[in-house]
Amino acid sequence: MKTHFKKTPLAALLGLAALGASFAIQAQSAAGEGKRSLTFIVFAVIIAITMYVTYIAAKRVRSASDFYTAGGAVTGWQNGWAISGDYLSAASFLGIAGLISLYGYDGFMYSVGFLVAYITVLLLIAEPCRNIGRYTLSDILTYRNDPRKTRIFGALSVITVSTFYLTAQMVGAGVLLKTLIGINYETSVLCVGVLMLAYVLFGGMVATTWVQIIKAVLLVSASLLIVALVWVPYGLSLPAFLQDVVSDPKVQARVATLLGDPAKTMSAADLGQRFLEPGLYLKAPIDQISLGMALVFGTAGLPHILMRFFTVRTALHARQSVVWAMIIIGGFYLLTLFLGFGAAKFVGPADIAAVDAGGNIAAPLLAQFIGGGPDSVFGNFMLAFVSAVAFATIVAVVAGLVLASASAIAHDLYVGVIRDGKEVSPTGQVKAARIATLIVGALAIGIGIASKGQNAAVLVGLAFAVAASANFPCILLTLHWKRCNTAGVIAGLVVGIVAAVGLTLLSPNLTYPKAVKAAAHKVLDEDSAKRAAATEALKSDDPKQVAKAKKEIGALDKAVTKANADIAKWGNAQTSFMGLEAPWFPLKNPGIISIPLGFLAVLIGSLLFRDRRAESLWNEVYVRQNIGLVVSKSTAVH
Amino acid sequence: MTTTDVMDWDAITRDPRFMDLHRRKTAFLWGLMALSVAYYFLLPIGAAYFQDLFKIRVWGVINIGLLFALSQFILTWLVAVIYGRKSSRDFDVLAAQVLAEFSGRTASVRPGVNT
């Protein structure tokens, strides 16, 4: 048994060295320069460290408890770093920095929402979960309820949330690695998937925890280094730094582009100042509030985050780990202010958007600039380092997600439902967990490749919306409301999932061909008039006017190409994937409707089908969650 | 840490110290939660409906909106520290007392365990 575990990670280590080499070869052929080998070295070092950790961890994984929860032996501060590593996805590091660099203030509002979410986790969720649960979210939901029924629906919800989140990460990974190191989308997804499988399959939660810790430390260090280089020249003065940002012509030009006609009457200083004011990105007020609800309540329902609380010994450790996580995550999100505004000032919004329209490459480009630019060794080292950190970020988050899904399949569905609580040996449980991991990992790679071109932000939003509408009401009410029972939990899960997914399918997030084609035709109709005006301006004596006109003609050419492509792409299609000509639901974020619906379903379900057993077990739940009695191993097997 | 499996749950819920612990904990947690959530939602509401207020410059180019967003970080950290201290000083002590009192006794019935 022991030798088996010793050999397999070594073989995996060799396999991954080969994988790393293929990275280098592909990257080399893409650029064929010395700086690509620099990228390769940085990637190889990070992969080698995490593989060594996995090798050590694999020796410790013997039971289901080791595999799912690292034997409950993680300390408070370790778990705090691991939660940060599990939570800070590429979406926060690259996505938010990008949003701030392109839209200013509105991007920073995302940072605030993602952090404040931890207040809910700290006050309402972390400690009771540690006291009531064992391996999975369904453990909490089944405590007072019918184990079979609740487990089926609990697992379904976990898999739904994790799949959306996982797909978003995979799509992000494919796009990022393609842009950052020049390997193609499919290979990128495959690399992330295989590496993640190596960690989870051999090292289970022990390896996943350490990979998340390493990644969080790397992410925070890389960000601190960039921010130090950006901010120190300003004598660590926030007003001086932001003054320089708003005075920058690149930033002012960006605001002018975003505002369109109203910008014409504004002074340069006003345009710059506008970058620090709300409303450049988030335009629908209710949508903003709805998104805020999904963030603040959704985090407390994310299965891969909840699972982290089962890795510590007591409620005290769970609390300490959230406090640590709040300090680390808050510190990191504070840095996004400098990463985003720094990128806007030094790289420029136009250049950032030219590489990636969503701004996702803002932080790496800033790192390269601050290190001395594309022609300097340090600049390229910084780019390589930040790219490798982004890669580690994605792998660590994906590992957490796959572990959460695999535990729902192996522990809830296989051990809990299919074997119906019959004794499954420790070896059998670990085997089931590993098989489930392999299945989920393979599916994740497949879905990642199939979802090429999907919008990662919409998928992450959907994951948060389902977690907030289905998981959060059920967990909260089963922990805090005596009358909550099986019928309520099942109703809450079903209504929450259906409402969040359903409203998103009917929302403006989908493509509506009729509107797309109408917009394209409008561009084509207006083209000749605009082109005539620009051609006239070309004759002007003022070189500034001529340059402006040339730029405008270039933009018109691009718009026409895109309009024609859109018309050709959608052909005769009139309706969205759901058969609608226009969105039925006006908001992009369903939370404001689906979260109350989820709560309502738990309430109505519980009241309609009264369950004496659930109520008789209330006192136990009530005492346990209040005085920090941990569910011990012998009692937790339902 | 204790891993006592079965205790007289009903008796504990009737214990005055437990009831006191629960009452204080509930008031503290939900109060703090309501306050934090209300404070947070002032941000998207303000950004959407009170833009003129958010635009007022107070410290160089820094405006009220930006300061308010930064204050959310302070609030979050304060909640973490306040709750951490309150728990370890008050709640954990009370919980340990209740636990010590009851961990010697076992319940006559085992309600619903191992179902």
Side-chain angles (χ1 to χ4, degrees), chain A residues 296-348:
Chain A
V296 169
F297 302 123
T299 305
L302 290 177
H304 64 293
I305 299 293
L306 291 180
M307 198 174 181
R308 289 237 51 95
F309 299 116
F310 305 135
T311 66
V312 292
R313 204 158 275 138
T314 65
L316 172 69
H317 292 103
R319 183 196 310 145
Q320 286 170 343
S321 57
V322 192
V323 171
W324 271 101
M326 285 167 91
I327 293 167
I328 298 163
I329 292 169
F332 172 80
Y333 280 126
L334 214 46
L335 298 181
T336 59
L337 187 75
F338 297 92
L339 295 176
F341 282 123
K345 152 83 186 136
F346 293 111
V347 185

Side-chain angles (χ1 to χ4, degrees), chain A residues 23-38 40 181:
Chain A
F23 249 133
I25 293 160
Q26 284 225 22
Q28 215 108 45
S29 60
E33 279 174 54
K35 67 179 179 187
R36 293 292 166 181
S37 47
L38 190 68
F40 166 62
I181 48 175

